[in-house]
Amino acid sequence: MRIAQLSRESAVPVATIKYYLREGLLPSGRLTSPNQAEYGPEHLSRLRLVRALLDIGRLPIATIRALLAEIDGPDPNLHQVLGRALRPTAGARAEVPDNGEAAAELAALMARQGWQVKTDAPARQAVAEVIAGLRSLGLHEFLDQLDGYARIAGELAELDFEVLGHTSQPEQLVHTAVVGTVLGDVLIAGLRRLAQQHVSGKRFGQQPG
Amino acid sequence: MRIAQLSRESAVPVATIKYYLREGLLPSGRLTSPNQAEYGPEHLSRLRLVRALLDIGRLPIATIRALLAEIDGPDPNLHQVLGRALRPTAGARAEVPDNGEAAAELAALMARQGWQVKTDAPARQAVAEVIAGLRSLGLHEFLDQLDGYARIAGELAELDFEVLGHTSQPEQLVHTAVVGTVLGDVLIAGLRRLAQQHVSGKRFGQQPG
């Protein structure tokens, strides 16, 4: 198909497709004349992945380029690819001046859970910031239950990989992992609210007023 | 204490405190002269709660005013107060044209979990939007596990209320609930990333590359 049809089928504007081609996020089409290229279904699925990484995963272009190069390589290292793709997205944060203590607390928590994660994983920094924030706000009752929250997060990750187990093709795997993780965060937060309201009703619902 | 000291102790600027006084988010001080008011520890703790509701909970002023009026009333309905305070915050979303089908799917899911939640709860809309978004992106493997995610969300909510169980004073309860829920979302998302990396290492870590 020509670029105009690729644009219609993917709902991505032609100018954006050309930008992805220039940035190396989409492989060139097959030239049928000096000014005309032909695109196939592999371009459609790649476009779908690039949009998910950009719009839903909020990954920087350079990270996406490196990630796609790894996927397209001869023997993709899926652990490394997922590590790059599943970065924590920004969330509500308390102001945190220093979190060395929180980082040590997190390291001890991870050791208790038996988690082996690289020391430079961005999620470590993100979690240490939340721990430091909760401490500065005096939420000690909450911090006392960190092991409980970590155990539940472990259940979530196991379920995530059960979902991923149905996928073996690297491009599809990364797509499902990124969308499932990022939209999954929103889903889990929403389901947590609904479950809280159910529990709140059971605990406090009998009150008059 | 005078307003200047209240500002120093709370780290909230005097102009902001005056704004909260005008908006009815903070009760007036005790007048000691026509131009001078005296503030006490109850103003400090109220300021702390207002900041948490605004900065962390991202609640609109009108909602906070209603919530504080309920807390200060003779017999606060804590179920209603928590329902108002624990709104879902905005997250990454796919574009969703219509989600009537997703809303019905969510209602069935909640019935299977035995959750009783008001039909106009904002979290219902938020979750239905994510379900519709996952469907439009073709993540059927993920949607097939919705009951698993709901079950885990239920565990989170039970743990949340265990944390809240240590608190009985309504103002403190709302503070812990809002901060613990909103920062808790970020914490859980980060812990989920760390656990995913651990599971990913176990599954894919042996690969060369």
Side-chain angles (χ1 to χ4, degrees):
Chain A
M1 71 191 109
R2 305 261 176 85
I3 196 166
Q5 199 192 336
L6 181 63
S7 164
R8 275 193 302 276
E9 296 216 358
S10 62
V12 176
V14 168
T16 307
I17 294 177
K18 287 184 173 169
Y19 170 71
Y20 295 161
L21 286 166
R22 281 198 304 277
E23 289 288 333
L25 301 181
L26 192 65
S28 309
R30 189 173 52 83
L31 279 185
T32 53
S33 82
N35 286 316
Q36 213 152 66
E38 189 69 16
Y39 299 89
E42 72 278 16
H43 290 92
L44 253 181
S45 69
R46 178 55 52 99
L47 262 178
R48 185 166 161 259
L49 176 60
V50 168
R51 296 296 281 193
L53 295 173
L54 274 173
D55 297 346
I56 298 178
R58 308 262 168 95
L59 294 177
I61 297 270
T63 304
I64 297 177
R65 200 185 290 120
L67 203 150
L68 295 175
E70 178 75 34
I71 289 180
D72 294 335
D75 191 9
N77 181 329
L78 292 178
H79 178 46
Q80 194 178 310
V81 166
L82 289 180
R84 272 190 182 143
L86 299 176
R87 302 185 344 148
T89 48
R93 270 179 204 171
E95 273 177 41
V96 177
D98 172 36
N99 57 22
E101 208 176 313
E105 192 174 344
L106 173 60
L109 172 71
M110 290 171 60
R112 286 194 299 276
Q113 297 291 324
W115 293 352
Q116 290 178 358
V117 177
K118 284 198 299 182
T119 48
D120 61 348
R124 288 178 88 118
Q125 179 65 16
V127 174
E129 279 179 16
V130 183
I131 292 175
L134 288 166
R135 195 165 297 289
S136 77
L137 288 163
L139 257 74
H140 304 290
E141 317 89 330
F142 194 93
L143 289 164
D144 289 344
Q145 294 287 354
L146 274 186
D147 283 271
Y149 287 102
R151 187 187 54 71
I152 297 177
E155 287 182 39
L156 284 171
E158 293 287 349
L159 187 52
D160 291 334
F161 275 82
E162 240 175 79
V163 168
L164 280 184
H166 296 274
T167 314
S168 59
Q169 200 260 327
E171 188 169 62
Q172 178 63 30
L173 185 89
V174 173
H175 185 265
T176 302
V178 169
V179 175
T181 298
V182 177
L183 289 189
D185 283 345
V186 187
L187 180 83
I188 293 158
L191 289 172
R192 182 181 174 215
R193 298 289 189 292
L194 291 174
Q196 283 176 337
Q197 282 170 42
H198 173 65
V199 178
S200 164
K202 282 196 301 184
R203 299 243 179 153
F204 303 124
Q206 321 294 21
Q207 290 186 206
Chain B
M1 70 190 108
R2 305 263 176 87
I3 195 165
Q5 198 192 336
L6 181 64
S7 164
R8 276 193 301 275
E9 298 217 358
S10 62
V12 176
V14 169
T16 307
I17 295 176
K18 287 185 173 168
Y19 171 71
Y20 294 161
L21 287 165
R22 281 197 305 277
E23 289 290 331
L25 302 182
L26 192 66
S28 309
R30 192 173 49 84
L31 279 184
T32 52
S33 84
N35 286 316
Q36 212 152 67
E38 190 69 16
Y39 299 89
E42 72 278 16
H43 291 93
L44 252 180
S45 69
R46 179 53 55 97
L47 261 179
R48 185 166 161 260
L49 177 59
V50 168
R51 295 297 279 193
L53 295 172
L54 274 174
D55 297 347
I56 298 177
R58 309 263 168 95
L59 293 178
I61 297 268
T63 304
I64 297 177
R65 198 185 292 120
L67 203 150
L68 295 173
E70 179 75 35
I71 289 180
D72 294 335
D75 192 8
N77 180 329
L78 293 178
H79 178 46
Q80 193 177 311
V81 166
L82 289 179
R84 273 191 182 143
L86 300 176
R87 301 188 341 149
T89 47
R93 268 177 205 175
E95 274 178 39
V96 177
D98 173 35
N99 57 25
E101 209 176 309
E105 193 175 341
L106 173 60
L109 172 71
M110 291 172 58
R112 286 194 299 275
Q113 297 291 327
W115 292 353
Q116 291 179 357
V117 176
K118 284 197 299 179
T119 48
D120 62 348
R124 289 178 87 116
Q125 180 65 18
V127 173
E129 279 179 16
V130 182
I131 292 175
L134 288 167
R135 197 164 295 289
S136 76
L137 290 162
L139 258 75
H140 304 292
E141 317 89 332
F142 194 93
L143 289 164
D144 288 345
Q145 294 289 355
L146 274 186
D147 283 270
Y149 287 102
R151 186 189 53 72
I152 297 177
E155 286 182 40
L156 283 171
E158 292 287 350
L159 186 53
D160 291 334
F161 274 83
E162 240 175 79
V163 168
L164 280 184
H166 297 273
T167 314
S168 60
Q169 201 259 327
E171 189 169 64
Q172 178 64 30
L173 184 88
V174 173
H175 184 265
T176 301
V178 169
V179 175
T181 298
V182 177
L183 289 190
D185 284 345
V186 187
L187 179 83
I188 292 157
L191 290 172
R192 182 181 173 215
R193 296 290 189 291
L194 291 174
Q196 283 176 337
Q197 283 170 39
H198 172 65
V199 178
S200 164
K202 282 196 301 182
R203 300 241 179 156
F204 302 125
Q206 320 295 21
Q207 290 186 204

